[in-house]
Amino acid sequence: MPEYKAPLRDIQFVMNELLGSEQHYASLEGAEDATPDMISAIIQEGAKFSEQVLSPLNQVGDREGCTWSEDGVKTPTGFREAYQQYVEGGWPSMTSDPEYGGQGLPNSVGIVMSEMVGTANWSWGMYPGLSHGAMNTVEAHGTEEQKQTYLSKLVSGEWTGTMCLTEPHCGSDLGTLRTKAEPNADGTYSITGTKIFISAGDHDMADNIVHIVLARLPGAPEGTKGISLFIVPKCLPNDDGSAGERNAVSCGSLEHKMGIHGNATCVMNFDGARGWLIGPENKGLNCMFTFMNTARIGTAIQGLGAAELGFQGSLAYAKERLAMRSLSGPKNPDGIADPIIVHPDVRRMLLTQKAVAEGARALIYLAAQQSDIVLQGKTEEERKAADAMLGFLTPIAKAFLTEIGYESANLGMQVFGGHGFISEWGMEQNVRDARIGMIYEGTTGIQALDLLGRKILMTQGEALKQFTKIVHVFCKENADDEQLKEFIEPLQRINKEWGEITMKLGMTAMQNREEVGAAAVDYLMYSGYAVFAYLWARSAKVALDAMREGTPEEAFYNAKVQTARFYFKRLLPRTRTHVETMFAGADTLLDMQEEHFAF
Ligand SMILES: Cc1cc2nc3c(=O)[nH]c(=O)nc-3n(C[C@H](O)[C@H](O)[C@H](O)COP(=O)(O)OP(=O)(O)OC[C@H]3O[C@@H](n4cnc5c(N)ncnc54)[C@H](O)[C@@H]3O)c2cc1C
């Protein structure tokens, strides 16, 4: 198993040099505590915890998995103790409201911790990760009483949270969900129904679990307009705030699955469990979007983590494994063969993972800064613009990063040859764990519809225009920089083309709605490569400027420029295929009659 090492130099590059975190935090309301020294100390501590406590449990979690009994679900050896340490370290409360026990740090600081935790041990990281979504939902939509009862316990980490959407017959199409909520005389509700695939639905890590559940009130309108949201605790809270008697909610069984074995994927039975309405009646899906958006950025981190872990493991291996000679003559003449890192194809695999991991870090941290502004921006105008930008970046980050993160995990395994397929090295686990990223929290297909349909076409491309304008200004400002030309020129082309293909798709969609569905995934992938092009060009500029100013660490900055070059020459051209297939026409997909698919 690769020992995870937090990539602190690159984290610092993206936060401070690329995205100017110091100025960013200074521009926020109430982020006075987020000083560079404070943030650096937090990240160092978080790195230690991830490397020393969580990383060694990653393979244990995979091997042992979770176990079910009538008394409840047991997590793998060491998970519970690691969680206790996490709670004692105050990690759950980092970004929450001080009024409920939080430390009030900006969301983007928490995202760095989530990256390190998630890369070291994704299955473990999902338990506190889901709690974060529950915290954000209660904070945004709960009553004061609900916040006092539940939020403070989630913030302290004494209780964890879950998100209960999926039912046996529906995941993407929540409009058809059936779980019922019957009002009781005391103002509570009785929740009845079955939810499946509920991550962290039951476990032995905390005293109580706060389920955030979608259900229907009697006589509610059909479809998504008739869904309400409820808090349903595993144990009912006592008057003193502690976890009391068991509620009528239980884990019926655990799913056996391809990866993330250390995380409990539960079938949850609600048998008239007591619940409390959160947010307005029939507006539950809107409220749940607070949770889903947190979880979508969380899942984007899974793509980054898969690429980073695969990269770390395969880089170390490629330097040591000897096989054949370099085509231009021996590079290790005293050895029996050259290390495989000399071979161009191995370098293709390593550089792809590196470009994906570092590009993903830039994209996720950029999105996290937008979420800081949504919550702590100084003006209404700033907050609104950031909200639109975050809404635009979220489906791209979620789907594009999990797709290319999975590809990277596969390349990490490929670098190991046959040994990659053997469990000992952890590379096959990385592939298995990463695969779910493209499915949960809205599949790639659903994210693509969200991007092209809701976020672009339904808003006349407002957020896209906002983004391409930023790119355009960046290109103009740097147009005369000879050393940057190799990045600026293709970036300018792609930025212009992005607007053009969007217009063209809008026109075709007006004639035939099916064209949206037929083009959506190609459009999303194209958009991901376009956003990456901007971030890689900006990274190259920061690195070139640093070298021109004679900053030490020339090797680090030079590698940045070289990775940017690799990205522009070898990954960005994939957009050509996406443009071609995006306009291949819905008829190439829909003409075939269902009964003719197989004979
Ligand atoms: C390990 C694991 C953990 C999970 N954790 C949670 C959790 O904590 N909480 C929770 O509520 N759920 C959870 N889920 C459920 C997960 O979010 C859903 O499985 C996922 O959203 C897909 O829904 P589905 O399985 O019903 O697939 P379906 O919705 O049946 O989709 C099947 C296929 O059809 C495609 N499709 C569907 N509709 C369209 C359309 N309109 N256009 C184009 N394509 C379409 C999909 O992209 C997909 O490829 C988890 C699932 C797993 C496996």
Side-chain angles (χ1 to χ4, degrees), residues 448-449 452-453 457 505 508-510 512-521 586:
L449 285 177
L452 183 56
L457 298 178
L505 274 178
T508 37
M510 276 198 279
N512 180 6
R513 302 268 311 147
E514 297 284 11
E515 293 292 349
V516 175
V521 169

Side-chain angles (χ1 to χ4, degrees), residues 126 130 162-174 195-201 212 214 255 257-260 263-266 288 291 296 436 438-447 449 517 521:
M126 283 176 73
L130 282 148
T162 74
M163 103 195 251
C164 299
L165 292 80
T166 306
E167 298 186 5
H169 67 287
C170 74
S172 310
D173 187 5
L174 294 168
K195 298 284 179 182
I196 63 163
F197 300 159
I198 303 308
S199 301
I212 307 286
L214 287 178
E255 304 291 356
K257 54 194 195 285
M258 177 179 180
I260 57 165
N263 194 272
T265 306
C266 302
M288 198 59 146
F291 205 138
R296 283 175 180 175
I436 185 62
M438 294 125 89
I439 298 174
Y440 57 16
E441 278 324 310
T443 59
T444 299
I446 295 298
Q447 298 298 331
L449 285 177
V521 169

Side-chain angles (χ1 to χ4, degrees), residues 208-439:
N208 201 1
I209 302 175
V210 182
H211 302 290
I212 307 286
V213 186
L214 287 178
R216 275 180 194 289
L217 291 166
E222 281 186 7
T224 53
K225 292 196 169 75
I227 299 174
S228 301
L229 191 61
F230 299 86
I231 296 178
V232 185
K234 173 179 173 180
C235 299
L236 297 166
N238 291 322
D239 290 343
D240 66 359
S242 59
E245 133 196 22
R246 271 299 295 265
N247 201 356
V249 48
S250 57
C251 169
S253 62
L254 286 175
E255 304 291 356
H256 298 278
K257 54 194 195 285
M258 177 179 180
I260 57 165
H261 291 159
N263 194 272
T265 306
C266 302
V267 174
M268 297 302 299
N269 298 321
F270 295 83
D271 301 311
R274 256 168 93 189
W276 284 261
L277 181 70
I278 171 165
E281 286 185 6
N282 299 328
K283 295 272 184 244
L285 204 54
N286 293 7
C287 299
M288 198 59 146
F289 263 107
T290 305
F291 205 138
M292 291 195 269
N293 284 331
T294 313
R296 283 175 180 175
I297 293 294
T299 310
I301 297 175
Q302 190 173 12
L304 158 57
E308 179 67 43
L309 200 62
F311 175 61
Q312 290 192 10
S314 57
L315 175 63
Y317 189 80
K319 287 179 180 171
E320 284 184 5
R321 176 73 177 178
L322 306 179
M324 307 198 4
R325 292 291 179 191
S326 157
L327 292 172
S328 54
K331 300 289 181 287
N332 175 34
D334 299 335
I336 53 160
D338 285 342
I340 58 172
I341 196 167
V342 305
H343 304 307
D345 189 55
V346 172
R347 284 169 169 254
R348 170 186 66 81
M349 297 191 275
L350 292 172
L351 282 165
T352 301
Q353 296 173 75
K354 181 174 167 63
V356 168
E358 294 176 12
R361 184 166 298 116
L363 172 49
I364 289 167
Y365 290 12
L366 175 73
Q369 284 196 343
Q370 299 302 309
S371 79
D372 289 345
I373 303 171
V374 172
L375 296 170
Q376 295 171 274
K378 286 195 174 138
T379 65
E380 174 68 20
E381 200 187 340
E382 258 184 293
R383 291 194 292 269
K384 265 182 86 173
D387 195 39
M389 180 65 79
L390 181 61
F392 167 69
L393 291 176
T394 298
I396 298 175
K398 196 280 172 186
F400 177 67
L401 296 186
T402 54
E403 292 280 341
I404 58 170
Y406 180 67
E407 178 193 344
S408 298
N410 256 318
L411 292 175
M413 180 165 114
Q414 191 74 9
V415 169
F416 277 75
H419 297 276
F421 200 68
I422 305 301
S423 303
E424 183 189 343
W425 295 93
M427 290 288 117
E428 58 87 41
Q429 181 191 339
N430 193 34
V431 173
R432 285 186 290 104
D433 286 352
R435 183 61 184 86
I436 185 62
M438 294 125 89
I439 298 174

